[in-house]
Amino acid sequence: MSDKAILEINGEKHEFPIMKGTENEVAIDIKTLRGTTKGVITLDSGYKNTGSCKSAITFLDGEKGILRYRGYTIEELAEKADFLEVAYLLIFGDLPNKEELDKFHSDIKKHSVVDDDVKKIIDAFPKSAHPMGVLSSLTSALTAFNPESVNVDSEEDMYNAIVRLMGKLPILVAWSMRKKKGLPLHYGDSSLGYVENLLKMMFKQPNEEVYEQNPILVDALDKLLILHADHEQNCSTSTVRITGSSHAGLFVSIAAGISALWGPLHGGANQAVLEMLEAIKEDGGDTKKYMAKAKDKSDPFRLMGFGHRVYKNFDPRAKIIKVAADEVLGDLGVEDPILDIAKGLEKEALEDQYFVDRKLYPNVDFYSGIIYRAMGIPTEMFTVMFALGRLPGWIAQWREMRLNKEPIGRPRQLYIGENERSFKSIEKR
Ligand code: CMC
């Protein structure tokens, strides 16, 4: 392949360098386009063809169904690593040795408290508040309690902000659920592992002396968090990078990412999937009816948990989660008719020409809610769990953007509004 691309506009040729990634991905570098063409820009709504950055964190091949964090396959990491190791890998670039992991965990634990006044903010929310709204607000509010995390100019400052957030977010996650359930809020137990501590903070009942850890739940949650930990330049991650590109601090950049994740086309899909499966069950389990609705262009209904902007073969995370859902429900002795509806729907969709033609496969959110539900996590908390899993990915991407000294993100537009016109006084309008 040539190392340059040529664009002809009005008979004039403009050359642009072609760049190659380590996996032979190809990009045309158009940074000189506007200058040399005197104002021409590219237009690509939804960024279907536009790379926003160079990144060394996650590689994804949607055609082959490949997902790797820092070179390691998602299959191997989900089987062999734990969430904190994966977090370290994503953020710092390599798997930690024992000493590095212990230090990372111990630094996180030092910051696994929040100012007790945060409880007052939680108290001000109505019980009906969606926990994603609560989590985003509280993450932003952390900035007020930790002003030193705002201006980060050195790697050391960044590290301090990172371990603070890794320590504090699980508390906010647990509290956003406990508030909804009317349970007292309490801090974790620093003698526990990261995931065990989270489970205890979420589920310990006020009238029980000791919270008994269930290793099936610990393993399942660990795996789910790893599977969600990063996914290159998706909607929420791009939001984190673009927010941070103005040199906004880490906490508010992540709060922006949490808001972006909330939507049902992104992380909110896991809640939407469960609600859809419930609705199908309530409606007598007629999956064919819902398949027809999903294909009907006059009906806004979409088969939630199906389709992906990048995966056009299968989502490797969905494959792992489907097996995990069977195992976890089996191990916990839970029989959930929703799982059968999900499997039936998947089978029908995979054989249906509409879905085959559009390369629509189950994505990560299709089965994750079934596991969360079996673990006793309320439906409205599913996206919150996704957010906690995605935290190391967002942090890694924010850190990379800052260390690469990327310029402020500021897209252009094609203006299609009115030309200049004169102001009309109110009587003449
Ligand atoms: N059900 C029915 N039709 C669909 C679906 C679906 N779930 N997804 C895409 N299509 C159709 C769409 O109508 C379009 O058809 P046509 O070409 O006839 O107009 C075609 O497939 C291409 O869809 P698109 O909306 O242009 O594709 P996109 O890349 O812009 O959107 C998506 C990707 C994930 C937003 C979309 O597939 C979707 O809305 N899926 C359901 C929501 C969901 O499960 N989201 C979670 C994504 S994975 C986790 C995450 O990102 O957080």
Side-chain angles (χ1 to χ4, degrees), residues 345-416:
L345 211 53
E346 179 185 350
K347 187 168 179 296
E348 276 175 47
L350 293 179
E351 288 164 1
D352 189 289
Q353 210 51 47
Y354 173 98
F355 285 83
V356 172
D357 288 348
R358 290 167 182 75
K359 299 189 166 75
L360 301 171
Y361 292 85
N363 58 50
V364 68
D365 291 321
F366 194 63
Y367 284 104
S368 62
I370 292 170
I371 308 183
Y372 288 137
R373 187 159 114 132
M375 295 174 75
I377 298 176
T379 313
E380 281 198 336
M381 282 295 293
F382 293 177
T383 316
V384 169
M385 303 313 290
F386 189 156
L388 183 66
R390 187 54 55 88
L391 180 65
W394 286 332
I395 292 176
Q397 302 271 351
W398 173 88
R399 180 175 176 271
E400 180 180 70
M401 179 270 308
R402 289 299 299 264
L403 291 178
N404 287 351
K405 300 202 183 325
E406 283 174 22
I408 186 166
R410 205 297 186 188
R412 292 271 168 179
Q413 64 166 13
L414 189 66
Y415 176 69
I416 54 163

Side-chain angles (χ1 to χ4, degrees), residues 265-267 297 302-306 309 354 358 363 365:
L265 299 190
H266 191 13
K297 293 288 170 201
R302 280 191 164 194
L303 205 54
M304 299 313 287
F306 264 78
R309 169 61 62 80
Y354 173 98
R358 290 167 182 75
N363 58 50
D365 291 321

